[in-house]
Amino acid sequence: MYHYSNFDHKFVAERVAQFRAQVTRRLDGSLSEDEFKPLRLMNGLYLQLHAYMLRVAIPYGTLNSRQMRQLAMIAERWDKGYGHFTTRQNIQFNWPKLEDVPDILQALADVEMHAIQTSGNTIRNVTADHFAGAAADEIADPRPIAELIRQWSTDHPEFQFLPRKFKIAVTGSPHDRAVTQAHDIGLRMTLQDGLRGFEVIVGGGLGRTPMIGKTLSPFVPLEDILPYLEAVVSTYNLLGRRDNKYKARIKITTHEHGIDDIKQRIEAQFSKINPLFTGEDMHILKEIERHFEPPNFKPANPPVEALSTTSHTPAFRAWLDTNITPHKVPGYAIVSVSLKKPGTTPGDASAAQMRALADIARDFGHEELRISHEQNVILPHVHRADLPQVYHALRQADLATANIGLISDLIACPGMDYCALATARSIPVAQQIATRFHALKLEHDIGPLKLKISGCINACGHHHIGHIGILGLEKAGVESYQITLGGDAGADAEIGTRAGPGFGADEIVPAIERLLLGYLQLRIDRSESFLAAYRRLGLAPFKALLYPQARKAA
């Protein structure tokens, strides 16, 4: 993985020193909260419902065990003993004291981490496929180009005050695990005549106006990708609306001007600036790629079944079925560690659990960890012979829940329990749904299902692209939960369709139960997933399941 250069160390150290002085001035009253706000946001510090919240960048979701151990130390020393992993592959600390934040930033800098550009109208943390460098289906590891984009966009003098925040996702696989079509720019690696390049998608996004991105170019050669990105962002910087923040994202710009007009403007801008890129970016990329050389993999061993008595237990077998993904190297596996034990807060990990994950990565995972946009932790390189020991260690840390891709592996934003923007609670709804279906013992029978919950229209829980999406809203002082159906984040991404009127807080779990019990009757057989059945049958039969009173009235 990438290690800081001398420039990186100096840059981050200066930012810590600057922010320490700014915090001192805020605490002694020299700066008002209004004056301090833009300064703290530049360093990822928000003011939420109950306390400050610090959002720490985890570039393209990649961590080493030393960094994970440092996050555990921060959680224990300066927070309430846990951290919250987010859908942007970041981690948030929900309870830091303002006077402690400079020390937290210094602790992050000590392990080559920071919180820069995790807020504000800038290019945010670049996200990527959480299986990058390990996936059996990828063309190439997308993280070197993601790191190049991170370096290019960090403190970019032209892009510190964009019309609105800007998010870029990169995948190196045709199986889109990076949700590229729901980002301001999505990059999908492709090959053309044996040469690497990217399909460039623009104008995707969720929030109050969800849109699936449109293809701006089917193929931009690798050597042109950085000037092409510069052309896209600089065009948006001049064209994007600043009169209304709800219409300021590039998805609205693209929608209002049309993809053809936007493409024409970007191509013209690209022609102007491309000659200014003299190839130095590709030299930098070559240097970055050295940081992402694969680890020294061990040779393949006998099958895991022959290695341990643990391997014969039903619980271990269930975990293998749901939490293991094929690796591109024979003898290895990708392990997804669920942070969604039923009844817990999705995405939360205690300091003890973070240390356990760091130890497992050190002992069995070539020191590497990833954070997924689905709020889980990935061990990308585990030898299959070590799987029983990894499973045992995860069980000791209460991290061996076998539910990846099932209903209890759901995404939920912090909602009204923490977030100043939320209008409804999402965490309790997530906990109740996961607990209910765990008790019903129906998770495995229902099969693959993406359920996502947001506590407000800003859609941090990605409900628009859930097979089942739940949006919590406040209406006349009462929480109401709308259900959308048929959304998808994959290669054929779709925005879900609203099923009908919202449900009260005490009605939403029974509604989901009716919906899924009905699906079990509607599907052709066990091989037909919920999403496949919805696409085959359409909204009507599922809506009838959700609103049985309306069916009787008709």
Side-chain angles (χ1 to χ4, degrees):
M1 62 182 291
Y2 181 76
H3 291 288
Y4 277 12
S5 65
N6 290 336
F7 173 86
D8 296 324
H9 282 291
K10 184 171 182 288
F11 173 75
V12 173
E14 287 175 351
R15 286 294 291 265
V16 173
Q18 290 163 0
F19 193 60
R20 188 180 296 280
Q22 291 158 1
V23 168
T24 299
R25 284 190 284 152
R26 174 70 187 109
L27 291 172
D28 69 16
S30 303
L31 288 175
S32 68
E33 174 55 30
D34 284 347
E35 292 167 330
F36 181 60
K37 183 178 178 179
L39 302 174
R40 63 173 167 77
L41 290 177
M42 289 174 68
N43 292 280
L45 187 64
Y46 292 71
L47 187 56
Q48 295 287 48
L49 275 180
H50 311 295
Y52 284 103
M53 179 273 283
L54 182 66
R55 180 179 293 158
V56 177
I58 302 175
Y60 31 89
T62 296
L63 284 170
N64 59 35
S65 57
R66 181 174 174 236
Q67 291 170 325
M68 182 66 95
R69 203 167 280 112
Q70 193 80 333
L71 294 177
M73 186 278 288
I74 291 169
E76 211 161 56
R77 183 169 178 182
W78 289 301
D79 209 88
K80 292 193 175 181
Y82 71 95
H84 178 73
F85 291 102
T86 77
T87 54
R88 295 279 307 148
Q89 297 181 305
N90 295 315
I91 185 171
Q92 294 179 177
F93 294 107
N94 288 317
W95 304 98
K97 294 176 181 173
L98 178 58
E99 57 267 34
D100 292 334
V101 173
D103 290 336
I104 296 174
L105 295 180
Q106 182 57 59
L108 292 169
D110 290 343
V111 294
E112 302 184 346
M113 299 184 76
H114 61 72
I116 298 166
Q117 291 189 198
T118 57
S119 179
N121 293 333
T122 62
I123 297 175
R124 301 287 188 89
N125 184 39
V126 179
T127 56
D129 182 355
H130 45 263
F131 290 167
D137 59 357
E138 75 178 7
I139 297 168
D141 188 340
R143 290 175 302 160
I145 195 69
E147 172 58 27
L148 181 69
I149 296 169
R150 187 194 70 81
Q151 294 188 16
W152 160 76
S153 62
T154 299
D155 216 29
H156 192 299
E158 290 289 327
F159 303 150
Q160 293 305 294
F161 299 98
L162 293 168
R164 201 68 179 90
K165 58 188 174 184
F166 202 92
K167 300 174 181 176
I168 300 175
V170 191
T171 180
S173 165
H175 186 176
D176 189 353
R177 288 175 288 263
V179 204
T180 57
Q181 292 181 88
H183 283 74
D184 297 287
I185 292 178
L187 300 179
R188 289 178 168 179
M189 193 179 294
T190 58
L191 292 173
Q192 192 172 91
D193 299 326
L195 297 176
R196 265 194 293 157
F198 292 91
E199 177 188 3
V200 178
I201 299 164
V202 70
L206 302 177
R208 65 183 60 221
T209 312
M211 293 185 183
I212 295 298
K214 298 178 175 63
T215 297
L216 188 62
S217 173
F219 184 80
V220 174
L222 176 64
E223 59 268 25
D224 289 342
I225 195 64
L226 210 54
Y228 200 84
L229 292 179
E230 178 107 5
V232 175
V233 183
S234 58
T235 300
Y236 163 64
N237 196 24
L238 293 175
L239 198 62
R241 291 177 58 172
R242 296 176 190 268
D243 62 321
N244 183 340
K245 75 173 187 177
Y246 301 121
K247 297 184 182 299
R249 296 290 292 268
I250 195 173
K251 61 186 176 185
I252 303 296
T253 311
T254 304
H255 177 71
E256 289 183 344
H257 288 263
I259 186 67
D260 293 336
D261 178 80
I262 290 291
K263 182 172 182 176
Q264 188 177 24
R265 292 171 187 263
I266 289 171
E267 295 287 352
Q269 178 71 355
F270 174 70
S271 298
K272 288 182 189 173
I273 65 175
N274 190 35
L276 303 177
F277 283 75
T278 58
E280 180 60 23
D281 54 324
M282 288 297 101
H283 290 300
I284 295 172
L285 180 61
K286 285 290 181 190
E287 179 61 29
I288 291 172
E289 285 175 339
R290 292 173 52 195
H291 293 267
F292 292 92
E293 290 291 327
N296 187 21
F297 291 119
K298 296 185 290 189
N301 269 5
V304 65
E305 290 81 358
L307 297 173
S308 168
T309 54
T310 303
S311 64
H312 298 292
T313 66
F316 178 67
R317 287 290 178 188
W319 181 77
L320 284 182
D321 286 344
T322 54
N323 293 40
I324 304 302
T325 303
H327 196 284
K328 65 182 179 183
V329 174
Y332 269 77
I334 303 169
V335 174
S336 294
V337 180
S338 173
L339 298 182
K340 316 285 180 54
K341 181 181 179 180
T344 63
T345 300
D348 276 10
S350 69
Q353 288 175 323
M354 286 189 252
R355 286 198 182 90
L357 288 164
D359 291 345
I360 294 168
R362 178 197 61 201
D363 296 340
F364 304 107
H366 297 276
E367 292 276 359
E368 272 203 48
L369 298 131
R370 308 280 174 76
I371 308 304
S372 76
H373 77 272
E374 295 183 320
Q375 299 181 288
N376 291 316
V377 176
I378 311 298
L379 295 160
H381 309 301
V382 176
H383 197 280
R384 295 190 68 85
D386 294 330
L387 288 174
Q389 290 171 275
V390 169
Y391 174 73
H392 177 73
L394 290 172
R395 282 198 64 169
Q396 295 294 312
D398 204 16
L399 286 169
T401 304
N403 67 345
I404 296 295
L406 304 179
I407 184 172
S408 62
D409 181 22
L410 44 74
I411 287 178
C413 72
M416 215 161 60
D417 287 285
Y418 298 101
C419 180
L421 300 176
T423 53
R425 293 168 298 165
S426 52
I427 292 173
V429 174
Q431 292 170 327
Q432 290 166 27
I433 291 173
T435 303
R436 177 60 180 160
F437 280 89
H438 181 69
L440 290 172
K441 306 295 182 191
L442 283 175
E443 282 192 279
H444 291 269
D445 195 15
I446 293 168
L449 184 71
K450 303 292 186 185
L451 194 152
K452 303 172 191 283
I453 308 172
S454 299
C456 78
I457 198 69
N458 292 298
C460 293
H462 294 182
H463 66 277
H464 296 297
I465 50 174
H467 303 167
I468 299 173
I470 299 176
L471 168 62
L473 296 170
E474 180 270 331
K475 288 191 174 180
V478 178
E479 289 170 305
S480 175
Y481 294 88
Q482 295 176 358
I483 292 177
T484 54
L485 298 174
D488 187 30
D492 300 316
E494 286 190 41
I495 301 297
T497 301
R498 183 180 166 187
F503 295 89
D506 59 344
E507 299 171 324
I508 185 64
V509 178
I512 297 298
E513 185 174 330
R514 284 197 304 279
L515 179 67
L516 289 174
L517 290 176
Y519 150 68
L520 295 177
Q521 302 303 313
L522 290 170
R523 69 184 180 185
I524 295 172
D525 54 36
R526 290 178 65 92
S527 69
E528 188 177 45
S529 69
F530 177 86
L531 183 61
Y534 178 84
R535 286 176 171 172
R536 176 174 61 85
L537 295 168
L539 175 63
F542 294 93
K543 185 171 182 175
L545 294 167
L546 285 170
Y547 304 99
Q549 296 306 319
R551 184 168 55 181
K552 287 178 183 176

